[in-house]
């Protein structure tokens, strides 16, 4: 039992007046809930679950047939997948980190770098552990090396979109600007994943796995950053609405 006058652990976790407990609990729960379907999907891929295999094959064959009949579509997807490949996105994230450091937002820069690095390391490790081969197609429109699950393009697009969104939201003071940032983040993530399936270098489940893992990493690092904010006395925020450090936009050096 908690000492007299001392709120219980459960009270601290779920009391709206205790921002640290409530928001950290919700963020950690969100990360866990995303990891559950990712773990389930990984197990289905490892077990070569027949329904998933049939779905992956059907989607791949359908998109491959469309790609063969529409070379302009293939060219567009090739350009997109190169422009928004992991390395260019990491370069953009690095520029963001440098910009934040110049503004004195060292901890926010550390959060952005940590999110990209952690996700960037987990992805290749899982590829080696799962060891799933890429789709084998007659007359492929594109080729890629390495294992297939999870999609590195989908993972890094999700990480970059999440980092850029949560850092830039404080600069979007109007609802329309915030909506535009959300639309851009979703388009970057979805179209990058779609390009990999369209080009026949990934199965649909590879891309979905990359998306889920990316969201889980962003949610987990955001929960850690939210915890730090509360410990330092900064006001509570809703990351999906306010960003992770809204004070940086107004007062350089505050985070």
């Amino acid at each position: 039992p908690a000492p007299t006058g001392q709120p219980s652990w459960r009270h601290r976790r779920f009391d709206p007046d205790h921002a640290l407990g409530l928001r950290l609990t919700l963020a950690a729960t969100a990360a866990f809930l995303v990891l559950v379907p990712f773990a389930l999907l990984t197990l289905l891929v490892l077990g070569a679950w027949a329904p998933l295999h049939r779905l992956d094959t059907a989607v791949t064959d359908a998109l491959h047939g469309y790609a063969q009949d529409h070379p302009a579509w293939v060219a567009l997807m090739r350009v997109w997948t190169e422009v928004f490949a992991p390395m260019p996105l990491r370069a953009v994230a690095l520029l963001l980190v440098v910009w934040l450091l110049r503004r004195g937002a060292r901890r926010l820069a550390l959060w952005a770098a940590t999110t990209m690095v952690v996700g960037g390391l987990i992805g290749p490790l899982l590829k080696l552990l799962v060891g799933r081969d890429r789709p084998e197609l007659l007359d492929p429109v594109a080729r890629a090396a390495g294992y297939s699950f999870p999609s590195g393009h989908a993972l890094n697009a999700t990480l970059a979109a999440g980092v850029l969104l949560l850092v830039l939201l404080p600069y979007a003071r109007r609802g329309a600007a915030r909506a535009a940032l959300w639309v851009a983040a979703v388009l970057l993530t979805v179209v990058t994943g779609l390009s990999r399936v369209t080009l026949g270098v990934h199965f649909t489940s590879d891309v979905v796995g990359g998306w889920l893992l990316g969201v889980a990493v962003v949610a987990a690092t955001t929960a850690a950053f939210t915890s730090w904010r509360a410990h330092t006395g900064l006001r509570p925020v809703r990351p999906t609405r306010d960003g992770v450090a809204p004070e940086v936009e107004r007062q350089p050096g505050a985070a």
Side-chain angles (χ1 to χ4, degrees):
T4 304
Q6 190 83 355
S8 67
W9 180 91
R10 182 176 180 180
H11 184 267
R12 294 195 305 271
R13 295 283 72 79
F14 295 100
D15 183 2
D17 294 330
H18 291 77
L20 169 60
L22 179 62
R23 296 187 186 282
L24 181 57
T25 299
L26 293 177
T29 301
F32 175 76
L33 291 177
V34 176
L35 280 174
V36 168
F38 174 77
L40 177 60
L41 180 61
T42 303
L43 290 175
L44 295 177
V45 169
L46 283 169
W49 192 46
L52 179 63
H53 177 72
R54 288 196 296 269
L55 177 62
D56 276 337
T57 302
V59 174
T60 296
D61 289 344
L63 289 178
H64 181 61
Y66 182 85
Q68 286 183 314
D69 296 334
H70 298 81
W73 172 247
V74 174
L76 175 61
M77 289 294 96
R78 281 178 173 170
V79 171
W80 185 283
T81 201
E82 291 297 330
V83 171
F84 297 106
M87 289 309 297
L89 291 176
R90 289 167 186 161
V92 172
L94 178 59
L95 291 175
L96 177 69
V97 168
V98 172
W99 177 69
L100 290 172
L101 289 173
R102 290 176 63 87
R103 289 181 63 85
R106 295 183 297 275
R107 289 184 176 85
L108 183 57
L110 178 61
W111 168 79
T114 300
T115 302
M116 295 298 298
V117 170
V118 169
L121 292 176
I122 293 177
L125 177 61
L126 286 173
K127 281 180 180 285
L128 291 174
L129 291 175
V130 176
R132 188 188 203 185
D133 292 327
R134 293 181 184 270
E136 295 183 3
L137 300 168
L138 294 175
D139 192 20
V141 298
R143 297 184 184 277
Y147 290 120
S148 190
F149 182 91
S151 165
H153 278 68
L155 168 60
N156 283 276
T158 306
L159 294 173
V163 166
L164 290 169
L165 175 69
L166 295 180
V167 169
L168 297 179
L169 271 175
Y171 297 87
R173 300 182 179 181
R174 296 183 178 181
R178 291 182 180 181
L181 280 177
W182 271 100
V183 169
V186 171
L187 281 177
L188 169 61
T189 303
V190 172
V191 178
T192 301
L194 176 64
S195 71
R196 305 305 285 166
V197 184
T198 297
L199 295 174
V201 294
H202 275 294
F203 293 110
T204 302
S205 55
D206 299 333
V207 170
V208 173
W211 288 337
L212 290 173
L213 181 58
V215 171
V217 170
V218 173
T221 59
T222 299
F225 192 80
T226 301
S227 174
W228 166 81
R229 285 181 56 86
H231 278 300
T232 55
L234 293 171
R235 71 176 180 85
V237 295
R238 295 180 181 177
T240 56
R241 185 193 65 183
D242 307 320
V244 288
E247 65 277 355
V248 172
E249 185 270 337
R250 297 187 300 274
Q251 298 176 355

Coordinates of all heavy atoms in Angstrom, one line a residue, residues 141-205:
V141 N 10.4 -6.0 -63.4 CA 10.7 -4.7 -63.8 C 11.7 -4.0 -63.0 O 12.2 -2.9 -63.3 CB 9.3 -3.9 -63.7 CG1 8.3 -4.5 -64.7 CG2 8.8 -3.8 -62.3
A142 N 12.1 -4.6 -61.9 CA 13.2 -4.1 -61.0 C 13.8 -5.2 -60.2 O 13.2 -6.3 -60.0 CB 12.6 -3.0 -60.1
R143 N 14.9 -4.9 -59.6 CA 15.6 -5.9 -58.8 C 16.2 -5.3 -57.5 O 16.5 -4.1 -57.5 CB 16.8 -6.6 -59.6 CG 16.3 -7.4 -60.8 CD 17.5 -8.1 -61.4 NE 17.1 -8.8 -62.7 CZ 16.5 -10.0 -62.7 NH1 16.3 -10.7 -61.5 NH2 16.2 -10.6 -63.8
A144 N 16.3 -6.1 -56.5 CA 16.9 -5.6 -55.2 C 17.6 -6.7 -54.6 O 17.2 -7.9 -54.7 CB 15.8 -5.0 -54.3
A145 N 18.7 -6.4 -53.9 CA 19.5 -7.4 -53.2 C 19.0 -7.5 -51.7 O 18.3 -6.6 -51.2 CB 20.9 -7.0 -53.2
G146 N 19.4 -8.6 -51.1 CA 19.2 -8.8 -49.7 C 17.9 -9.5 -49.4 O 17.1 -9.8 -50.3
Y147 N 17.6 -9.6 -48.1 CA 16.3 -10.3 -47.7 C 15.2 -9.3 -47.7 O 15.4 -8.1 -47.9 CB 16.5 -10.8 -46.3 CG 17.4 -12.0 -46.2 CD1 18.6 -12.0 -45.4 CD2 17.1 -13.2 -47.0 CE1 19.4 -13.1 -45.4 CE2 18.0 -14.3 -46.9 CZ 19.1 -14.2 -46.1 OH 20.0 -15.3 -46.0
S148 N 14.0 -9.8 -47.5 CA 12.8 -9.1 -47.9 C 12.0 -8.5 -46.7 O 11.4 -7.4 -46.8 CB 11.8 -10.0 -48.6 OG 10.7 -9.2 -49.2
F149 N 12.0 -9.2 -45.5 CA 11.1 -8.8 -44.4 C 11.9 -8.3 -43.2 O 12.8 -9.0 -42.8 CB 10.2 -9.9 -43.9 CG 9.3 -9.6 -42.8 CD1 8.0 -9.1 -43.1 CD2 9.7 -9.7 -41.5 CE1 7.1 -8.8 -42.1 CE2 8.8 -9.4 -40.5 CZ 7.5 -8.9 -40.8
P150 N 11.6 -7.0 -42.7 CA 10.6 -6.1 -43.2 C 11.2 -5.2 -44.3 O 12.5 -5.1 -44.4 CB 10.3 -5.3 -41.9 CG 11.6 -5.3 -41.2 CD 12.2 -6.6 -41.4
S151 N 10.4 -4.5 -45.0 CA 10.9 -3.6 -46.0 C 11.6 -2.4 -45.4 O 11.1 -1.6 -44.6 CB 9.7 -3.0 -46.8 OG 10.1 -1.9 -47.6
G152 N 12.9 -2.2 -45.8 CA 13.7 -1.1 -45.3 C 13.2 0.2 -45.8 O 13.2 1.2 -45.0
H153 N 12.7 0.3 -47.0 CA 12.1 1.5 -47.5 C 10.9 1.9 -46.7 O 10.8 3.1 -46.3 CB 11.8 1.4 -49.0 CG 12.9 1.5 -50.0 ND1 13.9 0.6 -50.0 CD2 13.2 2.5 -50.9 CE1 14.8 1.0 -51.0 NE2 14.4 2.1 -51.5
A154 N 10.0 1.0 -46.5 CA 8.8 1.3 -45.7 C 9.1 1.7 -44.3 O 8.6 2.7 -43.7 CB 7.9 0.1 -45.7
L155 N 10.1 1.0 -43.7 CA 10.5 1.3 -42.3 C 11.1 2.7 -42.2 O 10.7 3.5 -41.4 CB 11.5 0.3 -41.8 CG 12.2 0.6 -40.5 CD1 11.3 0.7 -39.4 CD2 13.2 -0.5 -40.2
N156 N 12.0 3.0 -43.1 CA 12.7 4.3 -43.0 C 11.8 5.5 -43.4 O 12.0 6.6 -42.9 CB 14.0 4.3 -43.8 CG 15.1 3.5 -43.1 OD1 15.8 4.1 -42.3 ND2 15.3 2.2 -43.5
A157 N 10.9 5.2 -44.3 CA 9.9 6.3 -44.7 C 9.1 6.6 -43.5 O 8.7 7.8 -43.2 CB 9.1 5.8 -45.9
T158 N 8.6 5.6 -42.8 CA 7.8 5.8 -41.6 C 8.6 6.5 -40.5 O 8.1 7.4 -39.9 CB 7.3 4.4 -41.0 OG1 6.6 3.7 -42.1 CG2 6.3 4.6 -39.9
L159 N 9.8 6.1 -40.3 CA 10.6 6.8 -39.3 C 10.9 8.3 -39.6 O 10.7 9.2 -38.8 CB 12.0 6.1 -39.2 CG 12.0 4.7 -38.6 CD1 13.4 4.1 -38.8 CD2 11.6 4.6 -37.2
A160 N 11.2 8.5 -40.9 CA 11.5 9.9 -41.3 C 10.2 10.7 -41.3 O 10.3 11.9 -40.8 CB 12.1 9.9 -42.7
A161 N 9.1 10.2 -41.7 CA 7.9 10.9 -41.7 C 7.5 11.2 -40.3 O 7.0 12.3 -40.0 CB 6.8 10.1 -42.4
G162 N 7.6 10.3 -39.4 CA 7.3 10.5 -38.0 C 8.1 11.6 -37.3 O 7.6 12.5 -36.6
V163 N 9.4 11.5 -37.6 CA 10.3 12.5 -37.0 C 10.1 13.9 -37.5 O 9.9 14.8 -36.7 CB 11.8 12.1 -37.2 CG1 12.8 13.2 -36.9 CG2 12.2 10.8 -36.4
L164 N 10.0 14.0 -38.8 CA 9.7 15.3 -39.4 C 8.4 15.9 -39.0 O 8.3 17.1 -38.7 CB 9.8 15.2 -40.9 CG 11.1 14.9 -41.5 CD1 11.0 14.6 -43.0 CD2 12.0 16.2 -41.4
L165 N 7.4 15.0 -38.9 CA 6.0 15.5 -38.5 C 6.0 16.0 -37.1 O 5.6 17.1 -36.8 CB 5.0 14.3 -38.6 CG 3.6 14.6 -38.1 CD1 2.9 15.6 -39.0 CD2 2.8 13.3 -38.1
L166 N 6.6 15.2 -36.1 CA 6.6 15.6 -34.7 C 7.5 16.8 -34.4 O 7.3 17.5 -33.4 CB 6.9 14.4 -33.9 CG 5.9 13.2 -34.0 CD1 6.4 12.1 -33.1 CD2 4.5 13.7 -33.6
V167 N 8.5 17.0 -35.2 CA 9.3 18.2 -35.0 C 8.7 19.4 -35.6 O 8.8 20.5 -35.0 CB 10.7 17.9 -35.6 CG1 11.6 19.2 -35.6 CG2 11.5 16.9 -34.8
L168 N 8.1 19.3 -36.8 CA 7.6 20.5 -37.5 C 6.1 20.9 -37.1 O 5.7 22.0 -37.5 CB 7.6 20.2 -39.0 CG 9.0 20.0 -39.6 CD1 8.9 19.7 -41.1 CD2 9.9 21.2 -39.3
L169 N 5.4 20.0 -36.4 CA 4.0 20.4 -36.1 C 3.9 21.7 -35.3 O 3.0 22.5 -35.6 CB 3.4 19.3 -35.2 CG 2.7 18.2 -36.0 CD1 2.2 17.1 -35.1 CD2 1.5 18.7 -36.8
P170 N 4.8 22.0 -34.4 CA 4.7 23.3 -33.7 C 4.8 24.5 -34.6 O 4.3 25.6 -34.3 CB 5.9 23.3 -32.7 CG 6.2 21.9 -32.5 CD 5.9 21.2 -33.8
Y171 N 5.3 24.4 -35.8 CA 5.4 25.5 -36.7 C 4.2 25.7 -37.6 O 4.0 26.7 -38.3 CB 6.6 25.3 -37.7 CG 7.9 25.3 -36.9 CD1 8.4 24.1 -36.4 CD2 8.7 26.4 -36.8 CE1 9.6 24.1 -35.7 CE2 9.9 26.4 -36.1 CZ 10.4 25.2 -35.5 OH 11.5 25.2 -34.8
A172 N 3.3 24.7 -37.5 CA 2.0 24.7 -38.2 C 0.9 25.2 -37.2 O 0.4 24.4 -36.5 CB 1.6 23.4 -38.8
R173 N 0.7 26.5 -37.2 CA -0.2 27.1 -36.2 C -1.7 27.0 -36.6 O -2.5 27.2 -35.7 CB 0.2 28.5 -35.9 CG 1.7 28.7 -35.4 CD 2.0 30.1 -35.1 NE 3.4 30.2 -34.6 CZ 4.0 31.3 -34.3 NH1 3.3 32.5 -34.3 NH2 5.2 31.4 -33.8
R174 N -1.9 26.8 -37.8 CA -3.3 26.7 -38.3 C -3.7 25.2 -38.5 O -2.8 24.4 -38.9 CB -3.6 27.5 -39.5 CG -3.4 29.0 -39.2 CD -3.7 29.8 -40.5 NE -3.5 31.3 -40.2 CZ -3.8 32.2 -41.1 NH1 -4.2 31.8 -42.4 NH2 -3.6 33.5 -40.8
G175 N -5.0 24.9 -38.4 CA -5.4 23.6 -38.7 C -5.1 23.1 -40.1 O -4.7 21.9 -40.2
A176 N -5.2 23.9 -41.1 CA -4.9 23.5 -42.4 C -3.5 23.1 -42.6 O -3.2 22.2 -43.3 CB -5.3 24.6 -43.4
A177 N -2.6 23.9 -42.0 CA -1.2 23.6 -42.1 C -0.8 22.3 -41.4 O -0.1 21.5 -41.9 CB -0.3 24.7 -41.5
R178 N -1.5 22.0 -40.3 CA -1.2 20.7 -39.6 C -1.8 19.6 -40.4 O -1.1 18.5 -40.5 CB -1.9 20.8 -38.2 CG -1.3 21.7 -37.2 CD -1.9 21.6 -35.9 NE -1.3 22.5 -34.9 CZ -1.6 22.7 -33.7 NH1 -2.6 22.0 -33.2 NH2 -1.0 23.5 -32.9
A179 N -2.9 19.8 -41.0 CA -3.5 18.7 -41.9 C -2.6 18.5 -43.0 O -2.4 17.3 -43.4 CB -4.9 19.2 -42.3
A180 N -2.0 19.5 -43.6 CA -1.1 19.3 -44.7 C 0.1 18.5 -44.3 O 0.6 17.7 -45.1 CB -0.7 20.7 -45.3
L181 N 0.7 18.8 -43.1 CA 1.8 18.0 -42.6 C 1.5 16.6 -42.5 O 2.2 15.7 -42.8 CB 2.3 18.6 -41.3 CG 3.2 19.8 -41.4 CD1 3.5 20.3 -40.0 CD2 4.5 19.5 -42.1
W182 N 0.3 16.3 -41.9 CA -0.2 14.9 -41.8 C -0.3 14.2 -43.1 O 0.1 13.1 -43.3 CB -1.5 14.9 -41.0 CG -1.3 14.8 -39.5 CD1 -1.3 15.8 -38.6 CD2 -0.9 13.6 -38.7 NE1 -1.0 15.4 -37.3 CE2 -0.8 14.0 -37.4 CE3 -0.7 12.3 -39.1 CZ2 -0.5 13.1 -36.4 CZ3 -0.3 11.4 -38.1 CH2 -0.2 11.8 -36.7
V183 N -0.9 14.9 -44.1 CA -1.1 14.3 -45.4 C 0.2 14.0 -46.0 O 0.4 13.0 -46.6 CB -2.0 15.3 -46.3 CG1 -2.0 14.8 -47.7 CG2 -3.4 15.4 -45.8
A184 N 1.2 15.0 -45.9 CA 2.5 14.7 -46.5 C 3.2 13.5 -45.9 O 3.8 12.7 -46.5 CB 3.4 16.0 -46.3
A185 N 3.1 13.4 -44.5 CA 3.7 12.3 -43.8 C 3.1 11.0 -44.3 O 3.8 10.0 -44.5 CB 3.6 12.5 -42.3
V186 N 1.8 10.9 -44.4 CA 1.1 9.7 -44.8 C 1.4 9.3 -46.2 O 1.7 8.2 -46.5 CB -0.4 9.8 -44.6 CG1 -1.2 8.7 -45.2 CG2 -0.8 10.0 -43.1
L187 N 1.4 10.3 -47.1 CA 1.8 10.1 -48.5 C 3.2 9.5 -48.6 O 3.4 8.6 -49.4 CB 1.6 11.3 -49.3 CG 0.2 11.7 -49.7 CD1 0.2 13.0 -50.5 CD2 -0.5 10.6 -50.6
L188 N 4.1 10.2 -47.9 CA 5.5 9.7 -48.0 C 5.6 8.2 -47.6 O 6.2 7.4 -48.2 CB 6.4 10.5 -47.1 CG 7.8 10.0 -46.8 CD1 8.6 9.9 -48.1 CD2 8.5 10.9 -45.8
T189 N 4.9 7.9 -46.5 CA 4.9 6.5 -46.0 C 4.3 5.5 -46.9 O 4.8 4.5 -47.3 CB 4.3 6.5 -44.6 OG1 5.0 7.4 -43.7 CG2 4.4 5.1 -44.0
V190 N 3.0 5.9 -47.3 CA 2.2 4.9 -48.1 C 2.8 4.7 -49.5 O 2.9 3.6 -50.0 CB 0.8 5.4 -48.1 CG1 -0.1 4.5 -49.1 CG2 0.1 5.3 -46.7
V191 N 3.1 5.8 -50.2 CA 3.5 5.7 -51.6 C 4.9 5.0 -51.6 O 5.2 4.2 -52.6 CB 3.6 7.1 -52.3 CG1 4.1 6.9 -53.7 CG2 2.2 7.7 -52.3
T192 N 5.8 5.3 -50.7 CA 7.1 4.6 -50.7 C 6.9 3.1 -50.5 O 7.5 2.3 -51.2 CB 8.0 5.1 -49.5 OG1 8.1 6.5 -49.7 CG2 9.3 4.4 -49.5
G193 N 6.0 2.7 -49.6 CA 5.7 1.2 -49.5 C 5.1 0.7 -50.7 O 5.5 -0.4 -51.2
L194 N 4.1 1.4 -51.3 CA 3.5 0.9 -52.5 C 4.5 0.8 -53.7 O 4.4 -0.2 -54.4 CB 2.4 1.9 -52.9 CG 1.7 1.7 -54.2 CD1 0.9 0.4 -54.2 CD2 0.7 2.8 -54.6
S195 N 5.4 1.7 -53.7 CA 6.4 1.6 -54.8 C 7.2 0.3 -54.8 O 7.5 -0.3 -55.8 CB 7.4 2.8 -54.8 OG 8.3 2.7 -53.7
R196 N 7.5 -0.2 -53.6 CA 8.3 -1.4 -53.5 C 7.5 -2.7 -53.9 O 8.0 -3.6 -54.5 CB 8.7 -1.6 -52.0 CG 9.5 -0.4 -51.4 CD 10.6 -0.1 -52.3 NE 11.7 -1.0 -52.1 CZ 12.8 -1.1 -52.9 NH1 12.9 -0.3 -54.0 NH2 13.7 -2.0 -52.7
V197 N 6.2 -2.7 -53.6 CA 5.3 -3.8 -54.1 C 5.1 -3.7 -55.6 O 5.1 -4.7 -56.3 CB 4.0 -3.8 -53.3 CG1 3.2 -5.0 -53.7 CG2 4.2 -3.9 -51.8
T198 N 4.9 -2.5 -56.1 CA 4.6 -2.3 -57.5 C 5.8 -2.7 -58.3 O 5.7 -3.3 -59.4 CB 4.4 -0.8 -57.8 OG1 3.2 -0.4 -57.1 CG2 4.2 -0.5 -59.2
L199 N 7.0 -2.5 -57.8 CA 8.2 -2.9 -58.6 C 8.6 -4.3 -58.4 O 9.5 -4.8 -59.0 CB 9.4 -2.0 -58.1 CG 9.3 -0.5 -58.4 CD1 10.5 0.3 -57.8 CD2 9.3 -0.3 -60.0
G200 N 7.8 -5.0 -57.6 CA 8.0 -6.5 -57.4 C 9.2 -6.9 -56.6 O 9.7 -8.0 -56.7
V201 N 9.7 -6.0 -55.7 CA 10.9 -6.3 -54.9 C 10.5 -6.6 -53.5 O 11.4 -6.9 -52.7 CB 11.9 -5.2 -55.0 CG1 12.5 -5.0 -56.4 CG2 11.3 -3.8 -54.5
H202 N 9.2 -6.4 -53.1 CA 8.8 -6.8 -51.8 C 7.3 -7.3 -51.9 O 6.6 -7.0 -52.8 CB 8.7 -5.5 -50.9 CG 10.0 -5.2 -50.2 ND1 10.6 -6.1 -49.3 CD2 10.9 -4.2 -50.4 CE1 11.8 -5.5 -48.9 NE2 12.0 -4.4 -49.5
F203 N 7.0 -8.2 -50.9 CA 5.6 -8.6 -50.7 C 4.9 -7.5 -49.9 O 5.5 -6.7 -49.2 CB 5.6 -9.9 -50.0 CG 6.1 -11.1 -50.7 CD1 7.3 -11.7 -50.3 CD2 5.5 -11.6 -51.8 CE1 7.8 -12.8 -51.0 CE2 6.0 -12.7 -52.5 CZ 7.2 -13.3 -52.1
T204 N 3.6 -7.6 -50.0 CA 2.8 -6.6 -49.2 C 3.1 -6.7 -47.7 O 3.1 -5.7 -47.0 CB 1.3 -6.9 -49.5 OG1 1.0 -6.8 -50.9 CG2 0.4 -5.9 -48.7
S205 N 3.2 -8.0 -47.2 CA 3.5 -8.1 -45.8 C 4.8 -7.6 -45.4 O 5.0 -7.1 -44.2 CB 3.4 -9.6 -45.4 OG 4.2 -10.4 -46.2

